[in-house]
Amino acid sequence: MMEIRTVGIIGTGTMGLGIAQVCAQSGFNVIAVKATPGSWEKAKASLEGGLNKSVERGKMAAADRDALVGRITFTTDERAVADCDLIIESIIEDLQTKKDLFRRLEAICRPDTLLCTNTSTLSVTAMMAVCKHRSRVAGLHFFNPAPVMKLVEVIHAFETSEEVIETLDQFCKTISKGPVIVQDTTGFIVNRLLTPYMLNAIRMLERGTGTIESIDQAMKTGAAHPMGPFELADYIGLDVVEAMAHNIFEDVRHEHHAPPHTLTRLVQLGYLGRKTGKGFYDYAQKPPVQNP
Ligand code: 3HC
């Protein structure tokens, strides 16, 4: 198995930061690269803000917080990941942008550096296809919030080597996650099941079966889900849910997977869920927004 000491994270959004935190918490040195224009200070402040809350609530010692933050180097320079043993990209869900990134990473890194994507529904094999050293390309799919959710889907793309899968499986265990190995298919396991579930809840709303609140309450108290489907969609981000629906629909071409009208309208209006303050729920003023 390959040895992993330093992890490069490309993209410092919600998922990238969460993954950086998880890796640093387990003692890995992390290089976190802000992938979009602008400085990295805001990303670092956001990570520190979350950790400060843990310290205030007595969940983490101040010294552990400082050590964790000290293991993460923030930068805007992609070339800083050149010496990393494992790179996990968590940039925008756009295949062409990810392919371009993989091409650049191959030019910077050693031929044995593990190159992983945190994509939700895009083809890992399509990213692998632009690489010369393909056997080191795989998926490492974390769930939001990454510091809390135990699962990581380890995605076995078409030419990923068994040694790489074993190394990633062990890495996930080292960072206290419960990995599941999945073949590279659209949506893997969780998003392939979870996306139609959320789409069905939206169609149920459109049919008038129940309200946003009643459907959420039913699934929380009747199926023991921590969040109802609308709370979950708002939490994931409605643009992300729509993109996942789109990618799965493109693959299976069954209307069951097509994004419902209400979802598309909310995204068009910029109501993307918690991150914009409004989605199915209005986080400034309850009750939930009406079906547009
Ligand atoms: N970062 C770090 N820790 C967090 C956190 C975050 N963003 N959000 C919550 N936590 C921690 C809290 O600190 C708390 O820890 P403690 O028990 O040690 O005090 C614990 O999680 C529980 O948090 P809360 O008490 O504040 O709130 P809840 O009990 O309501 O739990 C939740 C919040 C963990 C988000 C829970 O509602 C949940 O599990 N929801 C479902 C999340 C889910 O399904 N995620 C998967 C989405 S799909 C996906 O990510 C795939 C992608 O490809 C789209």
Side-chain angles (χ1 to χ4, degrees), residues 14-15 21 50 54 57 59 118-121 141-149 190-191 194 198 226-227 232 235-236 240 244 274:
T14 307
M15 292 309 294
Q21 179 180 328
S54 300
R57 286 189 290 127
K59 302 274 178 194
N118 180 51
T119 184
S120 309
T121 42
H141 183 220
F142 290 75
F143 293 81
N144 190 15
V148 178
M149 304 300 283
V190 174
N191 285 337
L194 209 51
M198 289 183 286
M227 288 176 170
L232 182 61
Y235 188 70
I236 292 172
V240 177
M244 294 198 296
R274 283 204 193 188

Short mmCIF file of all heavy atoms in Angstrom, two decimals, residues 14-15 21 50 54 57 59 118-121 141-149 190-191 194 198 226-227 232 235-236 240 244 274, ligand 1:
data_model
loop_
_atom_site.label_atom_id
_atom_site.label_comp_id
_atom_site.label_asym_id
_atom_site.label_seq_id
_atom_site.Cartn_x
_atom_site.Cartn_y
_atom_site.Cartn_z
N THR A 14 -17.79 24.44 1.06
CA THR A 14 -18.26 23.66 2.22
C THR A 14 -17.59 22.29 2.29
O THR A 14 -17.08 21.88 3.33
CB THR A 14 -19.79 23.46 2.13
OG1 THR A 14 -20.39 24.73 1.95
CG2 THR A 14 -20.35 22.79 3.36
N MET A 15 -17.60 21.58 1.17
CA MET A 15 -17.06 20.21 1.19
C MET A 15 -15.55 20.21 1.32
O MET A 15 -14.98 19.45 2.11
CB MET A 15 -17.49 19.43 -0.07
CG MET A 15 -18.97 19.12 -0.13
SD MET A 15 -19.63 18.35 1.37
CE MET A 15 -18.80 16.78 1.38
N GLN A 21 -10.64 19.72 7.17
CA GLN A 21 -10.75 19.62 8.64
C GLN A 21 -10.61 18.16 9.11
O GLN A 21 -9.86 17.87 10.05
CB GLN A 21 -12.11 20.17 9.10
CG GLN A 21 -12.31 20.07 10.60
CD GLN A 21 -13.66 20.60 11.05
OE1 GLN A 21 -14.20 21.53 10.46
NE2 GLN A 21 -14.22 20.01 12.09
N GLY A 50 -16.11 27.53 12.83
CA GLY A 50 -16.74 26.25 13.21
C GLY A 50 -16.00 25.59 14.36
O GLY A 50 -16.61 25.08 15.31
N SER A 54 -16.93 24.60 18.50
CA SER A 54 -16.68 23.31 19.17
C SER A 54 -15.93 23.53 20.48
O SER A 54 -16.20 22.88 21.48
CB SER A 54 -15.85 22.38 18.27
OG SER A 54 -16.55 22.14 17.09
N ARG A 57 -18.23 24.99 23.11
CA ARG A 57 -19.18 24.01 23.66
C ARG A 57 -18.48 22.86 24.39
O ARG A 57 -19.10 21.87 24.76
CB ARG A 57 -20.08 23.47 22.54
CG ARG A 57 -21.13 24.51 22.13
CD ARG A 57 -22.17 23.96 21.19
NE ARG A 57 -21.55 23.71 19.89
CZ ARG A 57 -21.60 22.54 19.24
NH1 ARG A 57 -22.23 21.53 19.74
NH2 ARG A 57 -21.01 22.41 18.09
N LYS A 59 -16.37 20.74 23.22
CA LYS A 59 -16.20 19.52 22.42
C LYS A 59 -14.76 19.34 21.95
O LYS A 59 -14.37 18.28 21.48
CB LYS A 59 -17.11 19.55 21.18
CG LYS A 59 -18.59 19.70 21.49
CD LYS A 59 -19.21 18.37 21.76
CE LYS A 59 -20.67 18.50 22.13
NZ LYS A 59 -21.23 17.30 22.69
N ASN A 118 -14.20 14.48 -5.54
CA ASN A 118 -15.31 14.38 -4.59
C ASN A 118 -16.64 14.60 -5.33
O ASN A 118 -17.63 15.00 -4.74
CB ASN A 118 -15.13 15.44 -3.49
CG ASN A 118 -16.24 15.41 -2.46
OD1 ASN A 118 -16.58 14.38 -1.91
ND2 ASN A 118 -16.86 16.57 -2.20
N THR A 119 -16.65 14.34 -6.64
CA THR A 119 -17.87 14.59 -7.42
C THR A 119 -19.09 13.85 -6.84
O THR A 119 -18.96 12.74 -6.31
CB THR A 119 -17.68 14.20 -8.90
OG1 THR A 119 -18.86 14.55 -9.61
CG2 THR A 119 -17.42 12.71 -9.09
N SER A 120 -20.27 14.47 -7.00
CA SER A 120 -21.52 13.85 -6.54
C SER A 120 -22.06 12.86 -7.57
O SER A 120 -22.52 11.78 -7.22
CB SER A 120 -22.61 14.89 -6.35
OG SER A 120 -22.19 15.95 -5.59
N THR A 121 -22.05 13.28 -8.83
CA THR A 121 -22.70 12.45 -9.86
C THR A 121 -21.96 12.40 -11.19
O THR A 121 -22.45 11.75 -12.12
CB THR A 121 -24.14 12.98 -10.14
OG1 THR A 121 -24.12 14.39 -10.19
CG2 THR A 121 -25.14 12.51 -9.10
N HIS A 141 -15.83 10.20 -2.22
CA HIS A 141 -17.04 11.01 -2.13
C HIS A 141 -17.49 11.14 -0.68
O HIS A 141 -17.97 10.17 -0.08
CB HIS A 141 -18.15 10.39 -2.99
CG HIS A 141 -19.40 11.20 -3.00
ND1 HIS A 141 -20.65 10.63 -2.96
CD2 HIS A 141 -19.60 12.54 -3.02
CE1 HIS A 141 -21.55 11.60 -2.95
NE2 HIS A 141 -20.93 12.75 -3.00
N PHE A 142 -17.31 12.35 -0.13
CA PHE A 142 -17.68 12.66 1.25
C PHE A 142 -19.10 13.21 1.27
O PHE A 142 -19.62 13.67 0.27
CB PHE A 142 -16.73 13.71 1.85
CG PHE A 142 -15.34 13.21 2.11
CD1 PHE A 142 -14.45 13.02 1.07
CD2 PHE A 142 -14.92 12.92 3.40
CE1 PHE A 142 -13.15 12.56 1.30
CE2 PHE A 142 -13.63 12.46 3.66
CZ PHE A 142 -12.74 12.28 2.60
N PHE A 143 -19.69 13.24 2.47
CA PHE A 143 -21.06 13.71 2.63
C PHE A 143 -21.10 14.91 3.57
O PHE A 143 -20.27 15.02 4.48
CB PHE A 143 -21.94 12.54 3.13
CG PHE A 143 -22.06 11.51 2.06
CD1 PHE A 143 -21.04 10.57 1.86
CD2 PHE A 143 -23.10 11.54 1.16
CE1 PHE A 143 -21.09 9.68 0.81
CE2 PHE A 143 -23.16 10.65 0.11
CZ PHE A 143 -22.15 9.71 -0.07
N ASN A 144 -22.06 15.77 3.34
CA ASN A 144 -22.19 17.03 4.06
C ASN A 144 -23.05 16.86 5.32
O ASN A 144 -24.16 16.38 5.21
CB ASN A 144 -22.83 18.05 3.10
CG ASN A 144 -22.81 19.45 3.63
OD1 ASN A 144 -22.09 19.76 4.57
ND2 ASN A 144 -23.62 20.31 3.04
N PRO A 145 -22.60 17.26 6.50
CA PRO A 145 -21.31 17.87 6.85
C PRO A 145 -20.20 16.83 7.00
O PRO A 145 -20.34 15.87 7.77
CB PRO A 145 -21.60 18.55 8.19
CG PRO A 145 -22.75 17.81 8.80
CD PRO A 145 -23.53 17.23 7.66
N ALA A 146 -19.12 17.05 6.26
CA ALA A 146 -18.03 16.05 6.22
C ALA A 146 -17.46 15.70 7.60
O ALA A 146 -17.13 14.54 7.84
CB ALA A 146 -16.93 16.53 5.28
N PRO A 147 -17.36 16.66 8.54
CA PRO A 147 -16.81 16.27 9.84
C PRO A 147 -17.72 15.32 10.62
O PRO A 147 -17.27 14.65 11.53
CB PRO A 147 -16.67 17.61 10.59
CG PRO A 147 -16.64 18.65 9.53
CD PRO A 147 -17.54 18.13 8.44
N VAL A 148 -19.02 15.28 10.25
CA VAL A 148 -19.98 14.48 11.01
C VAL A 148 -20.33 13.16 10.31
O VAL A 148 -20.44 12.11 10.95
CB VAL A 148 -21.30 15.29 11.23
CG1 VAL A 148 -22.34 14.47 11.98
CG2 VAL A 148 -21.01 16.60 11.95
N MET A 149 -20.53 13.23 9.00
CA MET A 149 -21.04 12.05 8.27
C MET A 149 -19.94 11.00 8.15
O MET A 149 -18.84 11.29 7.70
CB MET A 149 -21.54 12.46 6.88
CG MET A 149 -22.61 13.55 6.89
SD MET A 149 -24.10 13.12 7.80
CE MET A 149 -24.90 12.04 6.64
N VAL A 190 -25.32 6.45 -2.77
CA VAL A 190 -26.19 7.33 -1.97
C VAL A 190 -26.97 8.31 -2.84
O VAL A 190 -28.20 8.40 -2.74
CB VAL A 190 -25.39 8.05 -0.86
CG1 VAL A 190 -26.28 9.08 -0.14
CG2 VAL A 190 -24.86 7.05 0.15
N ASN A 191 -26.27 9.03 -3.70
CA ASN A 191 -26.99 10.04 -4.49
C ASN A 191 -27.95 9.41 -5.50
O ASN A 191 -28.95 10.01 -5.86
CB ASN A 191 -26.01 10.98 -5.18
CG ASN A 191 -25.40 11.97 -4.20
OD1 ASN A 191 -25.98 12.23 -3.15
ND2 ASN A 191 -24.23 12.49 -4.52
N LEU A 194 -30.82 8.78 -3.11
CA LEU A 194 -31.32 9.97 -2.41
C LEU A 194 -31.94 10.98 -3.37
O LEU A 194 -32.91 11.66 -3.02
CB LEU A 194 -30.13 10.62 -1.68
CG LEU A 194 -30.38 11.41 -0.41
CD1 LEU A 194 -31.21 10.63 0.59
CD2 LEU A 194 -29.04 11.79 0.22
N MET A 198 -35.72 12.73 -3.12
CA MET A 198 -36.05 14.15 -2.98
C MET A 198 -36.95 14.61 -4.13
O MET A 198 -37.89 15.38 -3.92
CB MET A 198 -34.75 14.99 -2.92
CG MET A 198 -33.98 14.80 -1.63
SD MET A 198 -32.52 15.83 -1.51
CE MET A 198 -31.40 15.00 -2.63
N PRO A 226 -32.98 12.11 9.87
CA PRO A 226 -32.63 13.31 10.66
C PRO A 226 -33.21 14.59 10.07
O PRO A 226 -33.48 15.54 10.78
CB PRO A 226 -31.10 13.33 10.65
CG PRO A 226 -30.69 12.43 9.56
CD PRO A 226 -31.79 11.46 9.32
N MET A 227 -33.39 14.61 8.76
CA MET A 227 -34.01 15.76 8.09
C MET A 227 -35.06 15.23 7.13
O MET A 227 -34.87 14.15 6.54
CB MET A 227 -32.97 16.51 7.24
CG MET A 227 -31.95 17.29 8.01
SD MET A 227 -30.75 18.00 6.86
CE MET A 227 -29.87 19.08 7.96
N LEU A 232 -33.49 18.56 3.70
CA LEU A 232 -32.26 17.98 3.16
C LEU A 232 -31.87 18.65 1.84
O LEU A 232 -30.70 19.00 1.64
CB LEU A 232 -32.43 16.46 2.98
CG LEU A 232 -31.20 15.72 2.47
CD1 LEU A 232 -30.04 15.84 3.45
CD2 LEU A 232 -31.53 14.24 2.23
N TYR A 235 -30.51 21.90 2.50
CA TYR A 235 -29.19 21.76 3.14
C TYR A 235 -28.11 21.45 2.09
O TYR A 235 -27.03 22.05 2.10
CB TYR A 235 -29.28 20.62 4.17
CG TYR A 235 -28.06 20.49 5.04
CD1 TYR A 235 -27.75 21.44 6.00
CD2 TYR A 235 -27.21 19.39 4.91
CE1 TYR A 235 -26.63 21.32 6.80
CE2 TYR A 235 -26.09 19.25 5.70
CZ TYR A 235 -25.80 20.22 6.64
OH TYR A 235 -24.69 20.10 7.43
N ILE A 236 -28.43 20.54 1.17
CA ILE A 236 -27.47 20.17 0.10
C ILE A 236 -27.28 21.36 -0.85
O ILE A 236 -26.18 21.60 -1.35
CB ILE A 236 -27.98 18.93 -0.67
CG1 ILE A 236 -27.97 17.68 0.21
CG2 ILE A 236 -27.17 18.69 -1.93
CD1 ILE A 236 -28.64 16.46 -0.41
N VAL A 240 -27.42 22.10 -6.48
CA VAL A 240 -26.71 20.81 -6.49
C VAL A 240 -27.70 19.67 -6.74
O VAL A 240 -27.44 18.76 -7.54
CB VAL A 240 -25.95 20.59 -5.15
CG1 VAL A 240 -25.28 19.23 -5.11
CG2 VAL A 240 -24.93 21.71 -4.93
N MET A 244 -27.65 17.13 -9.83
CA MET A 244 -27.60 15.66 -9.65
C MET A 244 -28.73 15.01 -10.44
O MET A 244 -28.54 13.99 -11.11
CB MET A 244 -27.71 15.29 -8.16
CG MET A 244 -26.53 15.76 -7.34
SD MET A 244 -26.36 14.93 -5.75
CE MET A 244 -27.83 15.42 -4.89
N ARG A 274 -30.35 26.80 2.09
CA ARG A 274 -29.76 27.50 3.26
C ARG A 274 -28.71 28.52 2.87
O ARG A 274 -28.60 29.57 3.47
CB ARG A 274 -29.11 26.47 4.18
CG ARG A 274 -30.12 25.71 4.98
CD ARG A 274 -29.43 25.19 6.22
NE ARG A 274 -30.27 24.20 6.86
CZ ARG A 274 -29.98 23.68 8.05
NH1 ARG A 274 -28.91 24.03 8.68
NH2 ARG A 274 -30.79 22.79 8.57
N1 3HC B 1 -19.56 20.82 10.75
C1 3HC B 1 -19.13 20.17 11.85
N2 3HC B 1 -19.97 19.63 12.77
C2 3HC B 1 -21.29 19.79 12.57
C3 3HC B 1 -21.82 20.48 11.46
C4 3HC B 1 -20.88 21.00 10.52
N3 3HC B 1 -21.27 21.65 9.42
N4 3HC B 1 -23.17 20.45 11.53
C5 3HC B 1 -23.48 19.80 12.67
N5 3HC B 1 -22.35 19.39 13.28
C6 3HC B 1 -22.25 18.61 14.51
C7 3HC B 1 -22.67 19.41 15.71
O1 3HC B 1 -21.57 20.14 16.23
C8 3HC B 1 -23.12 18.32 16.65
O2 3HC B 1 -21.97 17.71 17.26
P1 3HC B 1 -22.03 17.22 18.80
O3 3HC B 1 -23.09 16.15 18.83
O4 3HC B 1 -20.64 16.68 19.02
O5 3HC B 1 -22.38 18.41 19.58
C9 3HC B 1 -23.74 17.27 15.73
O6 3HC B 1 -23.18 17.52 14.43
C10 3HC B 1 -25.22 17.38 15.67
O7 3HC B 1 -25.53 18.70 15.28
P2 3HC B 1 -26.77 19.54 15.83
O8 3HC B 1 -27.15 19.04 17.19
O9 3HC B 1 -26.50 20.99 15.64
O10 3HC B 1 -27.92 19.25 14.80
P3 3HC B 1 -28.63 17.92 14.39
O11 3HC B 1 -28.66 16.92 15.50
O12 3HC B 1 -29.88 18.41 13.79
O13 3HC B 1 -27.68 17.31 13.25
C11 3HC B 1 -27.00 17.05 11.00
C12 3HC B 1 -27.32 18.04 12.12
C13 3HC B 1 -25.79 16.22 11.37
C14 3HC B 1 -26.69 17.88 9.75
C15 3HC B 1 -28.25 16.11 10.81
O14 3HC B 1 -29.41 16.89 10.65
C16 3HC B 1 -28.11 15.18 9.64
O15 3HC B 1 -27.47 14.15 9.72
N6 3HC B 1 -28.75 15.53 8.50
C17 3HC B 1 -28.69 14.74 7.27
C18 3HC B 1 -27.42 15.09 6.55
C19 3HC B 1 -27.27 14.28 5.30
O16 3HC B 1 -28.07 13.44 4.93
N7 3HC B 1 -26.18 14.56 4.59
C20 3HC B 1 -25.90 13.93 3.32
C21 3HC B 1 -26.35 14.83 2.22
S1 3HC B 1 -25.99 14.16 0.64
C22 3HC B 1 -24.41 14.64 0.32
O17 3HC B 1 -23.76 15.31 1.08
C23 3HC B 1 -23.83 14.16 -0.96
C24 3HC B 1 -23.41 15.28 -1.86
O18 3HC B 1 -22.77 14.68 -2.98
C25 3HC B 1 -24.55 16.15 -2.32
#
